[in-house]
């Protein structure tokens, strides 16, 4: 084997390895990336576009990824950056995901009471201010710690934990209010 | 509801959105498309490195390709028209955008994406821009505007490095469009079949400047 052939084989091996690592990245994280994009954009079609943009950028910058362990935070950071670049300034007028049943849990997985509570919780999450919804989505979907969320949102850990605490309290108060019949004005509160 | 039940329900609701069918394949295809591009570039470089060793097979291929090209010359714009229509249908949802984007905002984004700008003139100032985004068209970054036309939304796409040799009209059941050479790039204007797209194409041509 000549040195040139050896070098070409090495390049080919690197490309195959790179491709396999990328496939693994897609397979492991594309569901969570899409979910987070849904809550960030509040629209499934925009979320799909954003997911594709995220992985396109990720593939191009793939060599900068140090290890698979840090891949998830890396992808979420890319997604946030792409969302800011593409949609935050001029998001088109579109129906939000609360109009899309596809983004609700499958009814077959839930008891009738839970279905109503899931719908209420879904609306309540969408009604949260982004400063509360965003860290909550990173925690629940991404499984990130307070420190990791703080690094992504440029906040200190205390601020993140306070926002998470308040976000959960706001959501619980919506559910508890309905359960106790304290919120009859809520259009979703007509529990049977 | 206790803490455990609340957490469980929160997980179910926040993780409920499921990725559309086919999304995974689209994401994997990103790597394929980029690899094809990289291979083409690498093969070109390799051929330059050892020209004499490869001269004979290259010459044979060239002769074959020239022979084929002499017998068959496909219309240059055909693939581009298909790409344009595919892109417009893929982004059909943006045709209904009701934003109003100023010329300054449009120029700010155009300057970054395609190094071009639209002059301030009575025509461009009267232009009602509803959507402005950098897009990936014809395998390169392009600018996609949607403006209000006479009969509906009109898509204006500026592709900085896609050369076309002549003006081309194209249409399908729903849209009609025109591709016009501009500098080293192409200007595409597309609207409903009743839309006088030539009028908008002229307006953009008269006010567009590439900043090479």
């Amino acid at each position: 084997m000549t040195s040139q052939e050896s070098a070409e084989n090495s390049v080919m091996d690197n490309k195959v390895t790179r491709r396999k690592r990328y496939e693994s990245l897609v397979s492991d994280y594309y569901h969570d990336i899409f979910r987070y994009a849904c809550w960030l954009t509040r629209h499934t079609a925009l979320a799909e576009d954003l997911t594709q943009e995220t992985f396109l950028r990720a593939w191009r910058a793939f060599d900068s990824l140090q290890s698979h362990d840090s891949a998830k935070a890396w992808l979420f950071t890319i997604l946030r950056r792409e969302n800011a670049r593409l949609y935050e300034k001029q998001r088109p007028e579109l129906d939000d995901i609360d109009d899309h049943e596809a983004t609700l849990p499958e009814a077959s997985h839930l008891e009738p009471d839970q279905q109503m509570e899931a719908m209420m919780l879904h609306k309540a999450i969408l009604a949260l201010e982004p400063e509360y919804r965003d860290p909550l989505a990173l925690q629940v979907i991404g499984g990130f710690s307070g420190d990791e969320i703080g690094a992504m949102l440029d906040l200190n850990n205390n601020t993140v934990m306070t926002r998470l605490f308040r976000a959960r309290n706001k959501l619980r108060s919506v559910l508890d209010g309905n359960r106790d019949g304290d919120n009859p004005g809520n259009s979703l509160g007509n529990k049977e | 509801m206790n803490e455990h039940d609340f957490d469980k329900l929160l997980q179910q609701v926040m993780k409920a959105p499921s990725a559309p069918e086919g999304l995974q394949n689209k994401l994997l295809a990103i790597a394929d498309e980029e690899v094809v591009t990289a291979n083409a570039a690498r093969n070109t470089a390799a051929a330059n490195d050892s020209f004499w060793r490869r001269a004979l097979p290259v010459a044979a291929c060239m002769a074959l390709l020239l022979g084929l090209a002499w017998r068959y010359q496909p219309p240059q714009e055909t693939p581009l028209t298909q790409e344009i229509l595919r892109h417009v249908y893929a982004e059909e949802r943006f045709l209904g955008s009701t934003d109003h984007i100023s010329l300054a905002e449009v120029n700010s984004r155009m300057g970054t994406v395609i190094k071009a700008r639209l002059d301030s003139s009575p025509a461009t100032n009267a232009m009602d821009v509803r959507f402005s985004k950098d897009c990936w068209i014809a395998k390169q970054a392009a600018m996609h505007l949607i403006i209000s036309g006479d009969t509906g939304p009109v898509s204006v796409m500026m592709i900085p490095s896609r050369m076309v040799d002549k003006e081309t009209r194209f249409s399908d059941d729903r849209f009609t469009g025109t591709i016009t050479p501009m500098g080293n790039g192409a200007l595409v204007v597309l609207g409903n079949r009743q839309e006088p797209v030539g009028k908008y194409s002229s307006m953009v041509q008269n006010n567009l400047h590439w900043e090479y």
Side-chain angles (χ1 to χ4, degrees), chain B residues 27-212:
Chain B
L27 299 177
L28 293 175
I30 286 170
D32 295 333
E33 288 168 13
E34 298 268 316
V35 166
V36 167
T37 308
N39 276 346
R42 191 169 63 84
N43 290 341
T44 304
N48 289 338
D49 284 346
S50 52
F51 175 79
W52 292 109
R53 189 167 67 82
R54 296 165 188 266
L56 194 59
V58 169
C61 288
M62 288 292 288
L64 178 63
L65 288 172
L66 285 171
L68 289 172
W70 179 72
R71 290 179 62 85
Y72 174 64
Q73 295 184 342
Q76 195 178 357
E77 285 79 16
T78 303
L80 181 57
T81 60
Q82 288 170 4
E83 286 214 49
I84 297 297
L85 287 168
R86 191 164 57 228
H87 184 81
V88 169
Y89 282 110
E91 298 204 334
E92 189 176 359
R93 61 190 179 278
F94 296 129
L95 294 176
S97 174
T98 54
D99 285 350
H100 296 282
I101 302 166
S102 70
L103 184 62
E105 286 178 86
V106 170
N107 275 335
S108 171
R109 179 160 282 206
M110 280 176 59
T112 306
V113 178
I114 61 168
K115 305 278 186 259
R117 63 182 167 78
L118 287 167
D119 285 339
S120 176
S121 71
T124 55
N125 289 328
M127 189 170 65
D128 181 18
V129 180
R130 298 303 186 94
F131 172 83
S132 163
K133 178 173 172 262
D134 47 314
C135 291
W136 197 249
I137 305 170
K139 298 181 176 56
Q140 61 183 283
M143 193 70 201
H144 184 177
L145 306 179
I146 297 176
I147 63 176
S148 296
D150 292 5
T151 67
V154 172
S155 291
V156 177
M157 300 175 206
M158 288 154 271
I159 311 174
S161 305
R162 175 59 181 254
M163 293 191 75
V164 291
D165 57 1
K166 63 181 187 302
E167 181 167 342
T168 305
R169 291 266 181 174
F170 64 102
S171 60
D172 70 353
D173 293 342
R174 184 172 163 194
F175 295 115
T176 186
T178 177
I179 301 174
T180 311
M182 278 204 75
N184 292 326
L187 169 69
V188 181
V189 178
L190 179 138
N192 297 331
R193 285 183 65 89
Q194 301 78 21
E195 193 69 48
V197 289
K199 179 176 85 174
Y200 295 100
S201 180
S202 299
M203 185 267 286
V204 175
Q205 286 176 62
N206 291 335
N207 292 281
L208 181 68
H209 290 286
W210 304 104
E211 297 171 349
Y212 291 117

Side-chain angles (χ1 to χ4, degrees), chain A residues 53-122:
Chain A
E53 288 288 342
T54 299
F55 278 95
L56 176 63
R57 302 277 167 181
W59 170 254
R60 289 181 179 166
F62 205 48
D63 293 334
S64 67
L65 176 61
Q66 299 296 320
S67 75
H68 197 76
D69 293 340
S70 55
K72 193 174 198 176
W74 184 65
L75 285 171
F76 274 70
T77 301
I78 294 174
L79 185 149
R80 291 182 52 77
R81 199 182 306 138
E82 287 303 296
N83 180 58
R85 188 175 72 85
L86 295 172
Y87 300 125
E88 274 187 356
K89 285 186 183 169
Q90 46 188 37
R91 181 181 184 276
E93 290 295 322
L94 298 161
D95 295 336
D96 284 349
I97 58 174
D98 56 348
D99 296 329
H100 294 255
E101 290 181 2
T103 61
L104 284 166
E106 282 188 39
S108 60
H109 294 166
L110 301 168
E111 297 296 325
D113 269 7
Q114 287 181 315
Q115 289 175 28
M116 183 60 74
E117 283 174 335
M119 283 182 62
M120 289 185 59
L121 188 56
H122 186 263

Side-chain angles (χ1 to χ4, degrees), chain A residues 4 8 11 15 19 22-23 26-27 30-31 34-35 38-39 43 45-46 48-49 51-52 55-56 59-60 85-87 90-94 102-105 109-110 114 117-118 121-122 125 136-137 140-141 168 171-172 175-176 179, chain B residues 1-4 6-24 26-32 34-35 38-39 42 46 50 53-54 90-91 93-94 96-99 101 105 109 113 131-134 136:
Chain A
Q4 184 177 356
E8 284 178 358
V11 169
K15 282 169 60 178
R19 166 72 200 223
Y22 176 75
E23 282 178 12
V26 170
S27 167
Y30 86 102
H31 276 298
F34 175 77
R35 287 179 184 125
C38 277
W39 290 108
H43 192 273
L46 286 185
E48 187 176 351
D49 279 356
T51 302
Q52 292 188 59
F55 278 95
L56 176 63
W59 170 254
R60 289 181 179 166
R85 188 175 72 85
L86 295 172
Y87 300 125
Q90 46 188 37
R91 181 181 184 276
E93 290 295 322
L94 298 161
T103 61
L104 284 166
H109 294 166
L110 301 168
Q114 287 181 315
E117 283 174 335
L121 188 56
H122 186 263
I125 295 167
L136 188 67
V140 175
I141 297 169
R168 284 169 178 269
L171 298 177
R172 288 202 63 134
L175 292 181
D176 292 343
R179 186 176 284 267
Chain B
M1 181 181 284
N2 65 38
E3 195 68 29
H4 177 263
F6 174 74
D7 276 344
K8 190 177 167 190
L9 187 62
L10 186 60
Q11 290 265 345
Q12 284 177 320
V13 171
M14 292 208 89
K15 291 187 172 181
S18 55
E21 197 175 336
L23 178 59
Q24 187 176 14
K26 286 181 189 171
L27 299 177
L28 293 175
I30 286 170
D32 295 333
E34 298 268 316
V35 166
N39 276 346
R42 191 169 63 84
S50 52
R53 189 167 67 82
R54 296 165 188 266
E91 298 204 334
R93 61 190 179 278
F94 296 129
S97 174
T98 54
D99 285 350
I101 302 166
E105 286 178 86
R109 179 160 282 206
V113 178
F131 172 83
S132 163
K133 178 173 172 262
D134 47 314
W136 197 249

